[in-house]
Amino acid sequence: MSFRKENLDLVLVPAGLLIMFAYHLILFYRYLHRPHTTVIGFENNDKEAWVERADKDDISNALTVIGSNTSAATFLCSVCLTLSSLIGAWLGNSSNNFFQSNLIYGDTRPSTMIIKYICLLTCFLLAFSCFVQSARNFVHANYLITTPNCEVPIDSVKIAVLRGGDFWSLGLRALYFALDLLLWFFGPIPMFVSSIVKVSMLHYLDTNTKPLHPHGNPTTQKVSARSNRPGLVVQY
């Protein structure tokens, strides 16, 4: 039995997706048990310190930051929804057979093309849902910060901001998978190579080697730094 080019999709596509899933499972384990080794945990530490000081400092700056995150999440929501609509229109246009030509080395049967479209559409819809939830949490944090005549717990604002950031990260991961599936239209070989290159780049971008900053009070840090100088006598 000869090995045909249609069989290449059965080997390289699951292998590429398995590499991506395995990397993100390892990243999720590190995020839960060793968050200081991931960039997401490093950023969450900075966000927690920002929330603790946003209530004490000028609230307008805090609203500006949250508004920027909300606008970015909303923009990516629009992009994902637009791309999903284009994929649906392309799927409904049966006369377009560019990706079924002999130039594509792989399985180009109509049934396989439908699977490709559905998988790509699923990733974009999943990214859309994550970005919607991200914007919802940032808006909720905005409401908590601007609540008049009320003592809002800082932990509630922290949870809203951190959840917004987590859904933002999940939306980006869904777009990374969508890029792999998009390259699958040009054959299983570009999709597999893209998975390996992307995992290598994400491993470099997601790894944190710096210790978490304590984010102490700046005034306290200055006083302690001066008191630790040799020959300095602190008078009370």
Side-chain angles (χ1 to χ4, degrees):
M1 182 178 179
S2 61
F3 187 84
R4 297 179 300 177
K5 67 176 184 178
E6 288 80 6
N7 298 330
L8 200 61
D9 292 70
L10 300 177
V11 178
L12 294 184
V13 174
L17 293 177
L18 181 62
I19 292 174
M20 291 286 291
F21 275 113
Y23 168 76
H24 284 92
L25 286 177
I26 295 174
L27 179 64
F28 182 67
Y29 176 82
R30 290 170 54 197
Y31 174 69
L32 292 179
H33 299 279
R34 294 184 298 170
H36 61 279
T37 62
T38 64
V39 174
I40 300 176
F42 183 82
E43 292 177 350
N44 286 344
N45 179 64
D46 295 338
K47 291 176 183 177
E48 291 179 357
W50 176 81
V51 170
E52 292 177 356
R53 286 158 178 77
D55 190 24
K56 300 177 183 178
D57 299 336
D58 190 7
I59 297 180
S60 61
N61 294 329
L63 297 180
T64 302
V65 174
I66 294 180
S68 300
N69 286 275
T70 306
S71 299
T74 306
F75 172 74
L76 288 181
C77 283
S78 303
V79 171
C80 293
L81 190 61
T82 303
L83 292 177
S84 299
S85 302
L86 291 177
I87 292 173
W90 191 290
L91 183 60
N93 187 9
S94 58
S95 62
N96 197 330
N97 55 359
F98 171 76
F99 294 110
Q100 298 180 7
S101 63
N102 294 327
L103 298 176
I104 307 299
Y105 190 80
D107 193 354
T108 57
R109 291 176 296 181
S111 60
T112 305
M113 297 303 299
I114 293 177
I115 295 176
K116 293 179 181 180
Y117 282 120
I118 292 176
C119 292
L120 184 61
L121 181 61
T122 302
C123 285
F124 279 125
L125 291 178
L126 180 61
F128 168 76
S129 302
C130 291
F131 288 129
V132 166
Q133 293 299 319
S134 176
R136 183 184 70 86
N137 282 278
F138 285 131
V139 170
H140 181 59
N142 197 338
Y143 277 114
L144 291 175
I145 293 177
T146 58
T147 302
N149 302 324
C150 181
E151 290 293 336
V152 178
I154 297 180
D155 292 337
S156 300
V157 184
K158 282 184 181 180
I159 292 174
V161 173
L162 293 181
R163 282 182 179 176
D166 291 340
F167 278 112
W168 170 270
S169 299
L170 288 176
L172 291 180
R173 304 294 161 169
L175 291 180
Y176 296 155
F177 276 93
L179 180 59
D180 269 356
L181 295 174
L182 182 62
L183 292 177
W184 186 18
F185 285 88
F186 299 94
I189 297 178
M191 184 267 183
F192 181 75
V193 174
S194 173
S195 299
I196 297 177
V197 173
K198 193 174 297 181
V199 166
S200 302
M201 294 179 60
L202 289 177
H203 176 70
Y204 173 76
L205 296 174
D206 293 331
T207 302
N208 176 53
T209 57
K210 297 180 181 180
L212 297 181
H213 195 276
H215 292 289
N217 193 347
T219 306
T220 305
Q221 290 181 354
K222 290 180 181 180
V223 173
S224 61
R226 292 176 181 176
S227 60
N228 290 331
R229 292 179 182 177
L232 180 64
V233 178
V234 180
Q235 297 180 355
Y236 297 93

